[in-house]
Amino acid sequence: MYVAVKGGEAAIANAERLLAEKRRGDPAVPELSTAQIEQQLGLAVDRVMTEGSLYDRELAALALKQACGDQLEAVFLLRAFRTTLPRFGASEPIDTARMQVERRISATFKDLPGGQVLGPSFDYTHRLLDFSLLATGGEPPPPAPLGEAEPESMPHVLAMLDREGLIESEIDRRPDAPVPDITRDPMTFPADRAARLQGLARGDEGFLLALGYSVQRGYGRNHPFAGEIRFGAVEVEFVPEELGFAVSLGDVAVTECEMINQFKGSATEPPQFTRGYGLAFGHCERKTMAMALVDRALRARELGEEIDSPAQDEEFVLYHADNVEASGFVQHLKLPHYVDFQAELVLVRGMRRAAEAAAQRARPLAVAAGEE
Amino acid sequence: MAALARASTERLESGWQALGQPAAYDLLRRPEIGMVMVRGRSGGTGPKFNLGEMTVTRCVVRLESGTLGYGYVAGRDRRRAELAAVFDALLQEPATHGPAMRHLVEPLEAELAAAAQLGREKAAATKVRFFTMVRGE
């Protein structure tokens, strides 16, 4: 017999009020505005936008505020919100070669057109706690120094290798082919690289970081070079149906990482470097680097490599990369399982009774055997 | 439209005020908040893939002359989409093209160019100048 139970409304309402009080913290401390989160916790906003799969800085900041800073909870909130909006269509592909570059580095060429532009980065800091930041209300830091902006463009490093034929070309050979969308159609395997890249772009940074690390340590045999990492604003263009030509929607900030991997050759093709690609909203180099490592690892089948590591297994990677799905399934264990557990309890008690009864039946025989 | 899409609501409002006599228009499509799926290309130049969505607000207006104006702007600001649509329409009318350019688009383009230049100069200051250490001798 199944008995439905109800209850807990008052407890839930009060728990929500308690959460609201906790979220606000000590009322003597000024309340955080979403503008402050957007401006001063910008990298948290970037991660929430990327994994929440929705570029909207204000909404991501709001989600972070509502989630008390819990990034995965904020990602969940943003994902839930995005399901309430209609989709007008898909943009023209962004052109990262025309990026307004804030940072651009290459680990493969020291001297390259456009140069090594460090931009705002933690990389060269000493990682010592800066106690001066404990104080608030002081003067803002002086404006950053200005340099002489050169008119030269910043070509992709890999495009230079491509011109020499030393790396596989990235060409859209089927420009009219439909683009798979894992938010509309269930994933199928073997997955198209486009579907994999979408899954990786919205995938959990921690999960991808660990997989990328595993690849470097030997689980997947590829230890690449960071050909180029760039961060900056790119224009997004969209062709509204009623207009039939592209209009500019404005800019989005993106980070792009191109990895250069071990070469491959065949009877018909000379050896060439291969590629791994990472792209994400906002400034998130670690994420895009991990994404590029995993993208390359997942190309094992296409490149005729042996598949023997977790990062090369596309079902494993793509089914577990989404932190909204993962945290939903892990956290569902908190929900009442009273009936399931009762059933298990009855089962284990019955098994114990049966085992005890069997032991009792066996004992007199053993005793008799001992007396002989 | 590239400049209009990047203009803040305040900037569009002040341009609207500067025009003086406000133009009459109907909302053919009320400002609507939605999303556009942003696409990238693998390797920057290869096949397309879906990166993630962005919020976009769109609006269509009609001037008394019948000219249609379209506003498609990133974000969720309805007024901004409406004003962008109105300016799109005004820019198509011979009588209002000049004033709209003078009062909004031209100064806006100059501001955007200046902001982009400032960004480039700040980035340029972080460009590495390699030098070679003389060793031995």
Side-chain angles (χ1 to χ4, degrees), chain A residues 262-328:
Chain A
Q262 292 292 297
F263 23 79
K264 186 185 172 289
S266 67
T268 52
E269 281 178 74
Q272 272 188 326
F273 286 110
T274 56
R275 299 172 183 242
Y277 188 65
L279 184 68
F281 288 145
H283 193 182
C284 42
E285 283 169 39
R286 189 173 45 225
K287 162 71 186 253
T288 50
M289 292 178 80
M291 176 175 171
L293 284 167
V294 178
D295 168 48
R296 175 59 184 78
L298 289 174
R299 296 181 60 209
R301 185 171 29 80
E302 169 200 345
L303 295 170
E305 294 166 346
E306 213 173 301
I307 297 175
D308 52 13
S309 300
Q312 296 169 311
D313 180 337
E314 59 179 13
E315 276 195 56
F316 176 76
V317 173
L318 295 173
Y319 275 147
H320 300 106
D322 192 291
N323 58 28
V324 175
E325 284 171 19
S327 81

Side-chain angles (χ1 to χ4, degrees), chain A residues 122-178:
Chain A
F122 296 124
D123 287 358
Y124 323 99
T125 63
H126 293 296
R127 260 101 181 197
L128 300 173
L129 276 177
D130 179 357
F131 289 94
S132 72
L133 294 174
L134 278 175
T136 56
E139 288 289 304
L146 303 181
E148 202 176 319
E150 292 155 34
E152 66 184 322
S153 66
M154 272 195 207
H156 278 111
V157 170
L158 274 63
M160 303 191 299
L161 284 174
D162 193 11
R163 271 198 295 279
E164 281 189 67
L166 293 173
I167 194 161
E168 55 180 345
S169 293
E170 282 279 18
I171 301 165
D172 192 0
R173 291 188 173 82
R174 295 185 302 142
D176 298 324

